[in-house]
Amino acid sequence: MKKNTLRDEKRVVMAKQLWQVLRMNGGNDETSFAKTSYVQKQILSLTKPIKDKAITEMYSKQPPTKAIRIADLGCSSSEKNSLIVIFDLIQTMDNIRRRFKQDPKEYQIYLNDLPGNDFNTLFGSITNFEDRLLEQIGDDFGHCFVNGVPGSFYGRIFPTNTMNFVHSSSSLHWLSQVPENIIENQKRNIYMSRASPPSVLKAYYEQFEKDFLKFLHCRAMEMVDGGKMVLTLLGRHNNQYCYAKESSYLFELLSNVLNDMVSEGNIDEAKLNTFNIAAYTPSPLELEFLVKKEGSFNVNLVHVFQVSWDWNDYKFDSTLDNTSDQYDFTTCMRSVLEPLIIAHFGQEIVDEVFERYREKARVSMAEENNVLTNVAISLTRIPRVRG
Ligand SMILES: C[S@@+](CC[C@H](N)C(=O)[O-])C[C@H]1O[C@@H](n2cnc3c(N)ncnc32)[C@H](O)[C@@H]1O
């Protein structure tokens, strides 16, 4: 049997650490994900028509069954995001069952995230969520049972052949681990950058391919025939190169901040050399290619869209709630990246990192129209061949 080398062991430790530290800021304070996740909320509202269409298609030929199982994967802690998605899905399904003049349904809701996620904050909002269902859909909408599912969506999280509708937004670009063997070639880069050699770009793609195929394979086992899945993740238009400014720039600014702090002696260079972001932003073609390669799903639709870093672009958007005037790109990014920074560099530097990030983002936004590109893909589980 091959003996584990020191490098193998280090890799296992690194993967384990990422697993333990990847989480959004919990709680409800000013830097929490629950308070600051306007960018993700905007992405969710822009994909509502895709989700509605998938549900309508799902029930166009056969009406909903009595029990409907719905999952939100990578739900995080914000009721304004995850529970609003679930509310909208139930509302759309309830409209359909009324059209079919069916009895009320039982909705089994599964909210999944990594075990370190602040499920408590999310669960604290369940009563409001249930009250809203009764108020806005009516007390004859049926029953809703909410379950928390701590675990990685890169493994099995549900029983075989049970899920009707699976949703995930702003989560699947996170990889299961930093790609292997990139540290030597990354030097002071923390992500795929203009300066990254092709071997690094390839390693990132290969890690994404491995993870996404595993994700599809697990969902294929868990979903019922004809079940629908709508996935939205950070992505890019460009099919030729793995580096794309449109989706890497938010990490590039962080890289610039950390490099400045190394140059000024505030961060140890060796520490920076071992810090890498475990994310990948696929193109629509890459996603379609991998769905076909895995073979269990049909692609119904792929949609590429952008959201702006700049709140001024949304000021008059009535679909955002009235707290959105607090929208601030840096605070939103802080709620996502802070736990990773603290786990690697320590708590002491974090305020300074994000003060500097804010300044760099301000300068950049004054010069150009910064956006985040997203890819949404709507899939149907191909019926299993029965022997
Ligand atoms: C930016 S948040 C998105 C939250 C929510 N879906 C939204 O749209 O606001 C990304 C979430 O994905 C979760 N996540 C990342 N990798 C995961 C994995 N392998 N399994 C489950 N959740 C994961 C993170 O913990 C985080 O809570």
Side-chain angles (χ1 to χ4, degrees):
M1 206 170 75
K2 185 178 166 273
K3 259 185 119 187
N4 269 1
T5 61
L6 188 63
R7 180 185 281 255
D8 288 335
E9 280 163 19
K10 224 172 129 193
R11 220 178 270 146
V12 172
V13 172
M14 274 178 63
K16 196 168 160 224
Q17 281 174 348
L18 177 74
W19 173 268
Q20 288 165 343
V21 297
L22 181 59
R23 70 185 62 134
M24 309 297 106
N25 270 346
N28 259 315
D29 71 14
E30 295 314 304
T31 58
S32 65
F33 185 77
K35 275 267 160 62
T36 62
S37 46
Y38 303 116
V39 174
Q40 293 82 356
K41 186 168 162 33
Q42 177 70 346
I43 291 167
L44 289 168
S45 72
L46 289 168
T47 53
K48 184 174 183 315
I50 299 176
K51 290 167 254 181
D52 286 349
K53 187 162 187 272
I55 294 171
T56 313
E57 273 169 17
M58 180 156 71
Y59 296 128
S60 64
K61 295 200 187 93
Q62 64 186 86
T65 48
K66 172 84 182 157
I68 301 175
R69 296 188 185 84
I70 303 171
D72 186 30
L73 308 186
C75 60
S76 199
S77 50
S78 171
E79 81 171 293
K80 294 206 184 87
N81 297 12
S82 188
L83 292 180
I84 295 239
V85 171
I86 299 296
F87 179 92
D88 289 344
L89 295 174
I90 292 181
Q91 190 166 47
T92 309
M93 289 181 185
D94 190 66
N95 285 338
I96 293 177
R97 74 98 192 156
R98 282 173 204 270
R99 229 179 293 138
F100 278 107
K101 301 205 178 346
Q102 283 192 316
D103 289 340
K105 302 291 167 197
E106 292 184 344
Y107 299 93
Q108 284 275 9
I109 306 301
Y110 299 92
L111 303 177
N112 155 260
D113 208 293
L114 291 170
N117 180 53
D118 180 8
F119 283 100
N120 282 346
T121 294
L122 190 61
F123 292 162
S125 330
I126 294 293
T127 317
N128 289 346
F129 164 73
E130 287 171 344
D131 290 349
R132 243 189 96 212
L133 280 174
L134 290 173
E135 255 170 48
Q136 294 191 25
I137 306 186
D139 54 10
D140 64 339
F141 84 90
H143 292 281
C144 179
F145 308 102
V146 180
N147 306 268
V149 182
S152 172
F153 50 51
Y154 293 124
R156 285 291 301 273
I157 41 178
F158 304 115
T160 306
N161 205 359
T162 51
M163 303 308 295
N164 301 93
F165 192 94
V166 172
H167 172 262
S168 180
S169 187
S170 301
S171 303
L172 262 164
H173 46 263
W174 289 107
L175 300 169
S176 66
Q177 62 174 79
V178 172
E180 290 174 0
N181 300 328
I182 61 166
I183 289 178
E184 295 79 4
N185 296 321
Q186 274 286 70
K187 300 215 173 80
R188 283 163 70 162
N189 292 324
I190 64 164
Y191 188 57
M192 295 188 292
S193 80
R194 283 168 242 257
S196 300
S199 64
V200 168
L201 304 181
K202 185 161 174 275
Y204 266 101
Y205 172 76
E206 285 174 356
Q207 185 63 49
F208 178 75
E209 166 160 342
K210 196 166 148 199
D211 285 341
F212 192 61
L213 288 175
K214 196 147 183 235
F215 173 90
L216 291 172
H217 184 64
C218 292
R219 300 299 82 77
M221 295 210 239
E222 297 162 355
M223 292 185 67
V224 301
D225 291 358
K228 300 280 182 183
M229 181 151 73
V230 176
L231 311 172
T232 307
L233 59 161
L234 278 184
R236 63 179 205 280
H237 288 91
N238 182 336
N239 283 311
Q240 269 143 2
Y241 304 103
C242 291
Y243 167 75
K245 183 176 175 189
E246 55 187 332
S247 295
S248 301
Y249 197 48
L250 73 156
F251 300 127
E252 212 167 308
L253 287 191
L254 180 63
S255 185
N256 294 345
V257 166
L258 296 172
N259 273 283
D260 289 351
M261 290 176 76
V262 167
S263 305
E264 292 165 27
N266 299 328
I267 294 178
D268 181 18
E269 181 170 357
K271 224 42 203 146
L272 178 56
N273 285 344
T274 51
F275 181 68
N276 287 285
I277 300 281
Y280 183 79
T281 54
S283 70
L285 275 189
E286 283 172 348
L287 284 179
E288 280 188 86
F289 168 76
L290 293 176
V291 171
K292 284 193 187 120
K293 183 168 179 178
E294 196 282 328
S296 307
F297 294 90
N298 277 328
V299 176
N300 310 316
L301 175 153
V302 189
H303 175 57
V304 184
F305 63 99
Q306 296 181 319
V307 292
S308 176
W309 288 20
D310 192 348
W311 165 239
N312 288 318
D313 294 348
Y314 298 122
K315 248 186 201 155
F316 306 107
D317 184 342
S318 59
T319 61
L320 284 175
D321 66 27
N322 54 14
T323 54
S324 300
D325 52 1
Q326 297 155 16
Y327 175 108
D328 174 67
F329 182 75
T330 300
T331 317
C332 180
M333 287 306 118
R334 179 170 183 163
S335 74
V336 173
L337 297 169
E338 183 170 271
L340 292 176
I341 303 277
I342 292 176
H344 193 83
F345 298 101
Q347 176 82 48
E348 315 74 51
I349 65 158
V350 80
D351 285 337
E352 181 160 1
V353 166
F354 286 100
E355 269 163 40
R356 289 174 182 239
Y357 191 98
R358 177 181 305 287
E359 181 54 16
K360 286 198 189 293
R362 189 192 63 74
V363 170
S364 166
M365 280 152 78
E367 284 169 2
E368 54 191 331
N369 178 20
N370 291 322
V371 292
L372 292 175
T373 298
N374 294 270
V375 186
I377 187 161
S378 174
L379 307 174
T380 304
R381 175 66 171 99
I382 296 171
R384 294 158 173 85
V385 179
R386 316 227 177 248

